[in-house]
Short mmCIF file of all heavy atoms in Angstrom, two decimals:
data_model
loop_
_atom_site.label_atom_id
_atom_site.label_comp_id
_atom_site.label_asym_id
_atom_site.label_seq_id
_atom_site.Cartn_x
_atom_site.Cartn_y
_atom_site.Cartn_z
N GLY A 1 -19.53 14.89 7.07
CA GLY A 1 -19.83 16.26 6.76
C GLY A 1 -19.39 16.72 5.38
O GLY A 1 -19.54 17.90 5.07
N GLY A 2 -18.83 15.82 4.62
CA GLY A 2 -18.34 16.14 3.32
C GLY A 2 -19.44 16.08 2.22
O GLY A 2 -20.64 16.09 2.54
N LEU A 3 -19.08 15.97 1.01
CA LEU A 3 -20.04 15.88 -0.10
C LEU A 3 -20.77 14.51 0.00
O LEU A 3 -20.12 13.48 0.10
CB LEU A 3 -19.36 15.93 -1.43
CG LEU A 3 -18.60 17.30 -1.72
CD1 LEU A 3 -17.82 17.15 -2.99
CD2 LEU A 3 -19.60 18.41 -1.85
N PRO A 4 -22.11 14.51 -0.05
CA PRO A 4 -22.82 13.26 0.09
C PRO A 4 -22.63 12.26 -1.10
O PRO A 4 -22.72 11.11 -0.93
CB PRO A 4 -24.29 13.62 0.20
CG PRO A 4 -24.33 15.03 -0.34
CD PRO A 4 -22.99 15.64 -0.17
N GLU A 5 -22.33 12.79 -2.25
CA GLU A 5 -22.21 11.96 -3.48
C GLU A 5 -20.83 11.46 -3.69
O GLU A 5 -20.52 10.74 -4.61
CB GLU A 5 -22.73 12.68 -4.74
CG GLU A 5 -21.96 13.83 -5.18
CD GLU A 5 -22.27 15.12 -4.50
OE1 GLU A 5 -23.24 15.22 -3.76
OE2 GLU A 5 -21.57 16.09 -4.75
N PHE A 6 -19.82 11.91 -2.84
CA PHE A 6 -18.47 11.55 -3.00
C PHE A 6 -18.27 10.06 -2.60
O PHE A 6 -18.71 9.62 -1.58
CB PHE A 6 -17.54 12.45 -2.10
CG PHE A 6 -16.12 12.11 -2.24
CD1 PHE A 6 -15.39 12.54 -3.31
CD2 PHE A 6 -15.50 11.35 -1.25
CE1 PHE A 6 -14.04 12.27 -3.43
CE2 PHE A 6 -14.14 11.08 -1.39
CZ PHE A 6 -13.43 11.51 -2.45
N THR A 7 -17.52 9.34 -3.47
CA THR A 7 -17.15 7.99 -3.10
C THR A 7 -15.65 7.83 -3.26
O THR A 7 -15.01 8.34 -4.13
CB THR A 7 -17.83 6.96 -4.01
OG1 THR A 7 -17.49 7.22 -5.38
CG2 THR A 7 -19.35 6.89 -3.84
N LEU A 8 -15.10 7.17 -2.29
CA LEU A 8 -13.64 7.00 -2.25
C LEU A 8 -13.22 6.00 -3.28
O LEU A 8 -12.19 6.15 -3.99
CB LEU A 8 -13.23 6.53 -0.82
CG LEU A 8 -11.79 6.59 -0.49
CD1 LEU A 8 -11.20 7.96 -0.63
CD2 LEU A 8 -11.57 6.06 0.89
N MET A 9 -13.96 4.87 -3.44
CA MET A 9 -13.66 3.83 -4.39
C MET A 9 -14.84 3.66 -5.30
O MET A 9 -15.92 3.37 -4.81
CB MET A 9 -13.29 2.55 -3.74
CG MET A 9 -12.09 2.67 -2.73
SD MET A 9 -11.69 1.13 -1.94
CE MET A 9 -10.73 0.36 -3.14
N LYS A 10 -14.57 3.79 -6.62
CA LYS A 10 -15.69 3.69 -7.59
C LYS A 10 -15.26 2.74 -8.73
O LYS A 10 -14.14 2.84 -9.20
CB LYS A 10 -15.95 5.09 -8.15
CG LYS A 10 -17.16 5.16 -8.98
CD LYS A 10 -17.49 6.61 -9.39
CE LYS A 10 -18.68 6.65 -10.21
NZ LYS A 10 -18.99 8.04 -10.58
N TYR A 11 -16.17 1.90 -9.10
CA TYR A 11 -15.90 0.90 -10.15
C TYR A 11 -16.82 1.16 -11.31
O TYR A 11 -18.05 1.27 -11.10
CB TYR A 11 -16.07 -0.52 -9.62
CG TYR A 11 -15.22 -0.86 -8.46
CD1 TYR A 11 -15.72 -0.79 -7.16
CD2 TYR A 11 -13.90 -1.29 -8.67
CE1 TYR A 11 -14.90 -1.12 -6.06
CE2 TYR A 11 -13.09 -1.63 -7.62
CZ TYR A 11 -13.59 -1.54 -6.29
OH TYR A 11 -12.81 -1.87 -5.25
N THR A 12 -16.25 1.19 -12.49
CA THR A 12 -17.10 1.31 -13.65
C THR A 12 -17.08 -0.02 -14.42
O THR A 12 -16.19 -0.79 -14.20
CB THR A 12 -16.67 2.42 -14.62
OG1 THR A 12 -15.36 2.11 -15.08
CG2 THR A 12 -16.64 3.80 -13.92
N VAL A 13 -18.04 -0.27 -15.22
CA VAL A 13 -18.16 -1.55 -16.01
C VAL A 13 -16.94 -1.68 -16.85
O VAL A 13 -16.34 -2.79 -17.02
CB VAL A 13 -19.47 -1.55 -16.79
CG1 VAL A 13 -19.48 -2.83 -17.69
CG2 VAL A 13 -20.62 -1.52 -15.90
N VAL A 14 -16.43 -0.59 -17.51
CA VAL A 14 -15.30 -0.66 -18.39
C VAL A 14 -14.07 -1.05 -17.58
O VAL A 14 -13.22 -1.88 -18.04
CB VAL A 14 -15.10 0.69 -19.12
CG1 VAL A 14 -13.84 0.74 -19.90
CG2 VAL A 14 -16.37 1.03 -19.98
N ASP A 15 -13.88 -0.45 -16.42
CA ASP A 15 -12.74 -0.81 -15.54
C ASP A 15 -12.76 -2.30 -15.18
O ASP A 15 -11.69 -2.98 -15.23
CB ASP A 15 -12.69 0.02 -14.30
CG ASP A 15 -12.42 1.53 -14.62
OD1 ASP A 15 -11.84 1.84 -15.66
OD2 ASP A 15 -12.85 2.30 -13.75
N ILE A 16 -13.90 -2.78 -14.83
CA ILE A 16 -14.04 -4.16 -14.40
C ILE A 16 -13.75 -5.13 -15.56
O ILE A 16 -12.96 -6.11 -15.42
CB ILE A 16 -15.46 -4.43 -13.83
CG1 ILE A 16 -15.67 -3.65 -12.52
CG2 ILE A 16 -15.71 -5.93 -13.64
CD1 ILE A 16 -17.06 -3.66 -12.02
N LEU A 17 -14.24 -4.78 -16.76
CA LEU A 17 -13.99 -5.64 -17.96
C LEU A 17 -12.53 -5.58 -18.32
O LEU A 17 -11.95 -6.63 -18.72
CB LEU A 17 -14.90 -5.20 -19.11
CG LEU A 17 -16.40 -5.49 -18.87
CD1 LEU A 17 -17.14 -4.90 -20.07
CD2 LEU A 17 -16.62 -6.92 -18.69
N ASN A 18 -11.87 -4.43 -18.18
CA ASN A 18 -10.43 -4.33 -18.52
C ASN A 18 -9.60 -5.12 -17.55
O ASN A 18 -8.67 -5.86 -18.03
CB ASN A 18 -10.03 -2.83 -18.42
CG ASN A 18 -10.40 -2.03 -19.63
OD1 ASN A 18 -10.68 -2.56 -20.73
ND2 ASN A 18 -10.55 -0.77 -19.50
N VAL A 19 -9.91 -5.10 -16.29
CA VAL A 19 -9.16 -5.89 -15.32
C VAL A 19 -9.35 -7.35 -15.56
O VAL A 19 -8.44 -8.23 -15.56
CB VAL A 19 -9.59 -5.51 -13.85
CG1 VAL A 19 -9.01 -6.47 -12.85
CG2 VAL A 19 -9.08 -4.11 -13.53
N MET A 20 -10.60 -7.77 -15.83
CA MET A 20 -10.87 -9.21 -16.12
C MET A 20 -10.18 -9.66 -17.41
O MET A 20 -9.63 -10.77 -17.43
CB MET A 20 -12.34 -9.42 -16.23
CG MET A 20 -13.10 -9.34 -14.87
SD MET A 20 -14.89 -9.52 -15.07
CE MET A 20 -14.97 -11.31 -15.39
N PHE A 21 -10.08 -8.80 -18.38
CA PHE A 21 -9.38 -9.17 -19.61
C PHE A 21 -7.88 -9.32 -19.34
O PHE A 21 -7.26 -10.26 -19.83
CB PHE A 21 -9.60 -8.12 -20.70
CG PHE A 21 -8.81 -8.24 -21.87
CD1 PHE A 21 -9.11 -9.30 -22.78
CD2 PHE A 21 -7.66 -7.55 -22.16
CE1 PHE A 21 -8.37 -9.49 -23.97
CE2 PHE A 21 -6.85 -7.71 -23.29
CZ PHE A 21 -7.30 -8.71 -24.19
N VAL A 22 -7.32 -8.45 -18.59
CA VAL A 22 -5.87 -8.55 -18.31
C VAL A 22 -5.59 -9.81 -17.48
O VAL A 22 -4.59 -10.46 -17.72
CB VAL A 22 -5.40 -7.25 -17.54
CG1 VAL A 22 -4.02 -7.41 -17.01
CG2 VAL A 22 -5.42 -6.06 -18.48
N ILE A 23 -6.43 -10.14 -16.53
CA ILE A 23 -6.24 -11.33 -15.72
C ILE A 23 -6.34 -12.56 -16.59
O ILE A 23 -5.51 -13.43 -16.50
CB ILE A 23 -7.34 -11.40 -14.58
CG1 ILE A 23 -7.02 -10.33 -13.55
CG2 ILE A 23 -7.33 -12.76 -13.95
CD1 ILE A 23 -8.11 -10.19 -12.52
N MET A 24 -7.29 -12.61 -17.49
CA MET A 24 -7.43 -13.79 -18.37
C MET A 24 -6.26 -13.85 -19.36
O MET A 24 -5.78 -14.96 -19.69
CB MET A 24 -8.78 -13.75 -19.09
CG MET A 24 -9.96 -14.06 -18.19
SD MET A 24 -11.51 -14.27 -19.04
CE MET A 24 -11.90 -12.64 -19.52
N LEU A 25 -5.79 -12.73 -19.83
CA LEU A 25 -4.61 -12.72 -20.76
C LEU A 25 -3.37 -13.25 -20.01
O LEU A 25 -2.62 -14.05 -20.62
CB LEU A 25 -4.34 -11.32 -21.23
CG LEU A 25 -3.20 -11.15 -22.18
CD1 LEU A 25 -3.44 -11.89 -23.50
CD2 LEU A 25 -2.91 -9.63 -22.50
N ILE A 26 -3.15 -12.83 -18.78
CA ILE A 26 -1.95 -13.29 -18.09
C ILE A 26 -2.07 -14.78 -17.82
O ILE A 26 -1.09 -15.54 -17.98
CB ILE A 26 -1.82 -12.54 -16.76
CG1 ILE A 26 -1.39 -11.08 -17.03
CG2 ILE A 26 -0.81 -13.19 -15.80
CD1 ILE A 26 -1.43 -10.17 -15.82
N ALA A 27 -3.29 -15.29 -17.47
CA ALA A 27 -3.51 -16.71 -17.22
C ALA A 27 -3.30 -17.49 -18.49
O ALA A 27 -2.67 -18.55 -18.48
CB ALA A 27 -4.90 -16.93 -16.62
N PHE A 28 -3.73 -16.95 -19.64
CA PHE A 28 -3.55 -17.66 -20.91
C PHE A 28 -2.11 -17.74 -21.26
O PHE A 28 -1.61 -18.81 -21.67
CB PHE A 28 -4.32 -16.93 -21.99
CG PHE A 28 -4.10 -17.41 -23.32
CD1 PHE A 28 -4.71 -18.59 -23.78
CD2 PHE A 28 -3.28 -16.76 -24.21
CE1 PHE A 28 -4.48 -19.10 -25.03
CE2 PHE A 28 -3.03 -17.25 -25.52
CZ PHE A 28 -3.63 -18.47 -25.95
N LEU A 29 -1.35 -16.67 -21.13
CA LEU A 29 0.10 -16.72 -21.41
C LEU A 29 0.90 -17.55 -20.50
O LEU A 29 1.78 -18.23 -20.90
CB LEU A 29 0.61 -15.21 -21.43
CG LEU A 29 0.09 -14.36 -22.50
CD1 LEU A 29 0.69 -12.90 -22.35
CD2 LEU A 29 0.45 -14.84 -23.87
N ALA A 30 0.46 -17.60 -19.20
CA ALA A 30 1.21 -18.39 -18.25
C ALA A 30 0.98 -19.87 -18.53
O ALA A 30 1.86 -20.70 -18.14
CB ALA A 30 0.70 -18.11 -16.80
N GLY A 31 -0.07 -20.24 -19.16
CA GLY A 31 -0.32 -21.67 -19.55
C GLY A 31 0.24 -22.00 -20.94
O GLY A 31 0.71 -23.06 -21.17
N THR A 32 0.11 -21.06 -21.81
CA THR A 32 0.47 -21.31 -23.22
C THR A 32 1.98 -21.25 -23.44
O THR A 32 2.47 -22.18 -24.20
CB THR A 32 -0.20 -20.29 -24.11
OG1 THR A 32 -1.59 -20.35 -23.91
CG2 THR A 32 0.04 -20.61 -25.58
N LEU A 33 2.69 -20.32 -22.93
CA LEU A 33 4.13 -20.16 -23.26
C LEU A 33 4.94 -21.32 -22.82
O LEU A 33 5.78 -21.85 -23.59
CB LEU A 33 4.63 -18.84 -22.73
CG LEU A 33 4.00 -17.62 -23.35
CD1 LEU A 33 4.59 -16.33 -22.69
CD2 LEU A 33 4.26 -17.55 -24.83
N PRO A 34 4.82 -21.83 -21.58
CA PRO A 34 5.62 -23.07 -21.21
C PRO A 34 5.20 -24.29 -22.01
O PRO A 34 6.09 -25.08 -22.40
CB PRO A 34 5.26 -23.25 -19.76
CG PRO A 34 4.81 -21.94 -19.28
CD PRO A 34 4.12 -21.27 -20.39
N ALA A 35 3.90 -24.42 -22.37
CA ALA A 35 3.51 -25.58 -23.17
C ALA A 35 4.10 -25.47 -24.56
O ALA A 35 4.48 -26.49 -25.15
CB ALA A 35 1.96 -25.62 -23.23
N ARG A 36 4.11 -24.27 -25.11
CA ARG A 36 4.67 -24.09 -26.43
C ARG A 36 6.17 -24.45 -26.46
O ARG A 36 6.64 -25.06 -27.38
CB ARG A 36 4.45 -22.64 -26.89
CG ARG A 36 4.85 -22.30 -28.28
CD ARG A 36 4.42 -20.96 -28.57
NE ARG A 36 4.87 -20.62 -29.92
CZ ARG A 36 4.94 -19.38 -30.42
NH1 ARG A 36 4.46 -18.35 -29.70
NH2 ARG A 36 5.35 -19.18 -31.66
N LYS A 37 6.89 -24.03 -25.42
CA LYS A 37 8.32 -24.33 -25.32
C LYS A 37 8.49 -25.84 -25.20
O LYS A 37 9.39 -26.41 -25.76
CB LYS A 37 8.88 -23.63 -24.10
CG LYS A 37 10.37 -23.85 -23.97
CD LYS A 37 10.93 -23.15 -22.75
CE LYS A 37 12.37 -23.43 -22.54
NZ LYS A 37 12.90 -22.87 -21.32
N ALA A 38 7.62 -26.50 -24.50
CA ALA A 38 7.76 -27.94 -24.22
C ALA A 38 7.49 -28.72 -25.51
O ALA A 38 8.07 -29.75 -25.72
CB ALA A 38 6.80 -28.35 -23.16
#
């Protein structure tokens, strides 16, 4: 009975790309930093 266009969870392309970038950055650092130390 609320607003028909209301969505509880909404994803934008910019948000998705930002999250994917952060995930790839963390994975890159997790692999690179120990190898660099070694």
Side-chain angles (χ1 to χ4, degrees):
L3 299 171
E5 68 274 354
F6 181 78
T7 56
L8 192 60
M9 301 180 82
K10 187 174 183 180
Y11 301 97
T12 63
V13 175
V14 174
D15 294 336
I16 292 169
L17 292 176
N18 283 337
V19 169
M20 288 178 73
F21 174 75
V22 169
I23 290 170
M24 287 189 288
L25 179 66
I26 290 171
F28 174 76
L29 291 176
T32 304
L33 294 179
R36 188 173 175 193
K37 182 180 176 184

